[in-house]
Amino acid sequence: MAVTVVRDIEAGPEASTSGFAEEKPSWFTPKRLLVMFCIINMLNYVDRGVIASNGVNGSRGSCSGGTCSSGSGIQGDFNLSNFEDGVLSSAFMVGLLVASPIFASLAKIFPPPPPCSHNPFRLIGVGLLVWTIATAGCGCSFDFWSITICRMLVGVGEASFISLAAPFIDDNAPAAQKTAWLAMFYMCIPTGIALGYVYGGLVGGHLHWRAAFWGESILMLPFVILGFVIKPLELKGFTHNKKTKEYGPMLSPELQDETSNNGIKQGVPAIVEGLAEKLPEKSSLSSFGKKVMIEIHHFGKDMKELLQERVYVVNVAGYIFYNFVIGAYSYWGPKAGQDIYHMASADLMFGGITIVCGIFGTLAGGFILDKIDSTISNAFKLLSGATFLGAIFCFGAFCFKSLYGFIPFFSVGELLVFATQAPVNYICLHSVKPSLRPLSMAMSTVSIHILGDVPSSPIVGFIQDKIHNWRTTALLLTSILIGAFVCWFCGIFLHSVDRFNEESEHGVPATERSNLRPLLDDGNDEARTSQ
């Protein structure tokens, strides 16, 4: 078979002489991988906090008593309405939604032997390069449409990382700390947004809003370089599997020369053979057409299998309601707080609350689930309980007229709401078989954004333009958390099976797979040899 397996432990002794035997992946260890991914994730969400901060987002110009002000920040420079401003916050989601399933499919279509240029880890490097260029472009934008296009490209760059980082972490986390490791990773979401508020407020206030985007680009550059120079890593569930055989003709010239008696290339799925025969053999588009049909067939097959997982679907439905609220909170929170409670430094206030509650809430959710036993049923119990109580506290916070009543209630509410981050993603990863995990994360991302925070910011901006009352708008928004509670509460009663321990597609039983050498080795070559 022309597509050679990377792992010598799985490929057998032949791998050592094939020329493609695995080399130890640099100085990486699982903990270093986790740290690197956490920093990258934090920078992604710093960008979201920056675009929402008052120092960068600014305010529209206004006229009163015959005196007009030109406004400040992006909204002032480009004279944006609240609706246009909301569209700007959601623009990067367009690129994210389009690119996430593409990167997830590439991770599965192109398995991880070293000769392959589409190794999942390399895809992250490509995505981060696009992100770096796009954020620099935001700082160079000259009108609404130019910055909107750059925001879309930011989403394209983030897509590869969002789809693939969590499966990498789940592969390498200690068995008793999987949820805790995911909690550390997802803790960077509120932390990054909070730091973005503070960073955007300080840089935008003292320098210029454009400088904030240029600074982000510079900070991400070292990780772009690491993504390309570090030796490629692989994901579990994609080594020497059936899909590798099916995609062999697309990956290897040798396989393209092997034909069956009827002239059809070996390795092409049977369902595609009939279509392939109808294509003209001498057509220049024939080969490309076959490849496209194969890719579409397998993507459709995987999507059908994913949507048949009721546990996964119910979990993502609750996540959509949750993200609708959190996305609008993160973007409009500083403006609402400044208007309702006349905060002197709304960016710093919301940033401080979010960073403290985000860190402790997210970590607590992961550690609690590990302590009570990491099962899908327990994860749903934790999700529904934390969301219900969090909704009550957040709703009550906006009912207070005093800032001193708002802060403690909203802090407790955010603490509870952020406790959902690790459990919800644990379910996404463990309710599907290993080879579907990148696609499950990609489609979860697509769903929560296209139905969640993409429409929420413009909708909240539109409502505020109509009623001109941030308190009422905030209360209406917070009540939507009840939808998340209902979905996750129903999930408790679903029959759930942890699919992570199922046989992978290459047929290695769970007991054997647990004894395989980790994806990232701490340098124990002797143990490797003894295996």
Side-chain angles (χ1 to χ4, degrees), residues 476-497:
L476 290 171
L477 174 65
T478 304
S479 64
I480 296 174
L481 279 173
I482 298 301
F485 159 72
V486 171
C487 290
W488 287 332
F489 183 75
C490 292
I492 298 174
F493 305 99
L494 293 176
H495 175 67
S496 58
V497 177

Side-chain angles (χ1 to χ4, degrees), residues 267-492:
V268 179
I271 195 169
V272 185
E273 289 181 2
L275 294 174
E277 289 176 348
K278 297 179 182 179
L279 292 174
E281 292 184 3
K282 296 182 180 180
S283 171
S284 60
L285 297 178
S286 177
S287 177
F288 176 77
K290 292 175 186 177
K291 295 176 183 179
V292 170
M293 285 188 294
I294 293 171
E295 294 174 20
I296 292 174
H297 164 66
H298 286 290
F299 179 76
K301 181 180 177 182
D302 288 342
M303 279 299 303
K304 181 179 179 180
E305 187 174 354
L306 192 64
L307 293 176
Q308 288 175 343
E309 297 288 350
R310 290 188 300 169
V311 172
Y312 174 80
V313 172
V314 169
N315 182 53
V316 172
Y319 206 7
I320 289 169
F321 284 107
Y322 169 89
N323 217 53
F324 187 97
V325 177
I326 297 301
Y329 269 176
S330 67
Y331 192 74
W332 294 114
K335 285 188 184 244
Q338 190 173 42
D339 182 83
I340 298 171
Y341 298 106
H342 308 290
M343 296 179 183
S345 301
D347 288 341
L348 296 176
M349 179 69 70
F350 269 84
I353 293 174
T354 303
I355 194 170
V356 173
C357 297
I359 290 174
F360 286 101
T362 307
L363 290 177
F367 282 106
I368 289 172
L369 184 57
D370 280 335
K371 289 297 182 183
I372 64 176
D373 192 9
S374 298
T375 65
I376 293 175
S377 178
N378 284 342
F380 274 125
K381 292 174 184 177
L382 182 57
L383 287 172
S384 56
T387 304
F388 181 73
L389 294 175
I392 292 175
F393 275 93
C394 288
F395 191 91
F398 284 107
C399 292
F400 282 98
K401 293 185 178 180
S402 168
L403 181 63
Y404 298 104
F406 169 81
I407 290 177
F409 265 69
F410 191 71
S411 298
V412 174
E414 281 210 323
L415 194 70
L416 289 163
V417 167
F418 281 122
T420 62
Q421 284 293 321
V424 72
N425 286 285
Y426 176 89
I427 295 174
C428 283
L429 288 168
H430 286 253
S431 61
V432 302
K433 65 182 184 181
S435 63
L436 287 179
R437 289 182 306 159
L439 184 62
S440 75
M441 296 305 296
M443 297 315 299
S444 171
T445 301
V446 167
S447 301
I448 66 175
H449 289 319
I450 199 170
L451 299 175
D453 52 7
V454 166
S456 70
S457 293
I459 288 173
V460 170
F462 177 78
I463 293 173
Q464 177 59 23
D465 283 339
K466 293 296 182 182
I467 66 177
H468 301 288
N469 188 319
W470 273 114
R471 189 187 301 276
T472 302
T473 301
L475 290 172
L476 290 171
L477 174 65
T478 304
S479 64
I480 296 174
L481 279 173
I482 298 301
F485 159 72
V486 171
C487 290
W488 287 332
F489 183 75
C490 292
I492 298 174

Side-chain angles (χ1 to χ4, degrees), residues 71-84:
S72 63
I74 296 173
Q75 196 172 16
D77 284 3
F78 300 151
N79 193 30
L80 306 180
S81 66
N82 283 333
F83 176 76
E84 290 174 324

Side-chain angles (χ1 to χ4, degrees), residues 31 39 66 73 78 88 97 102 107 115 127 129 148 154 156 167 181 185 227 239 265 302 348 431 483 511 525:
K31 289 183 180 179
I39 296 174
F78 300 151
L88 186 62
L97 302 182
I102 294 175
L129 177 61
T148 299
V154 168
V156 172
W181 277 44
F185 177 71
T239 307
K265 291 181 176 62
D302 288 342
L348 296 176
S431 61
T511 53
D525 291 336

